[in-house]
Amino acid sequence: MKKFINKSKATSKHVCFIDGFSIRHGVIIGHAGGVWRVDCGGEIVSVWEDDIFTDSSAARRVLNTMFD
């Protein structure tokens, strides 16, 4: 599944990512070398570029395929 996030407009963009078997939400605060820094309510998390989703439904589809 290919996702597209415009890196020049990514700062302050709300995103979703999969952490373990749950979906987490946060705001992008920076990126470097394919790793995005996401602020999740005071916790700063580093997430690989391929694991970032622009909406929770896309993240939910990935989680559903893990259990099929």
Side-chain angles (χ1 to χ4, degrees):
M1 178 178 292
K2 187 70 175 168
K3 299 165 290 299
F4 176 76
I5 296 176
N6 187 346
K7 291 182 182 181
S8 64
K9 297 180 182 178
T11 305
S12 299
K13 182 171 178 73
H14 292 274
V15 294
C16 302
F17 62 95
I18 298 172
D19 185 18
F21 293 109
S22 63
I23 298 173
R24 293 185 63 185
H25 302 272
V27 177
I28 293 175
I29 57 174
H31 61 86
V35 177
W36 295 78
R37 290 181 20 215
V38 179
D39 182 5
C40 298
E43 179 185 4
I44 307 299
V45 180
S46 297
V47 182
W48 286 105
E49 184 174 57
D50 292 339
D51 297 334
I52 296 282
F53 300 94
T54 55
D55 61 0
S56 59
S57 63
R60 175 61 55 196
R61 280 193 300 268
V62 170
L63 277 178
N64 288 343
T65 59
M66 294 170 84
F67 296 109
D68 284 344

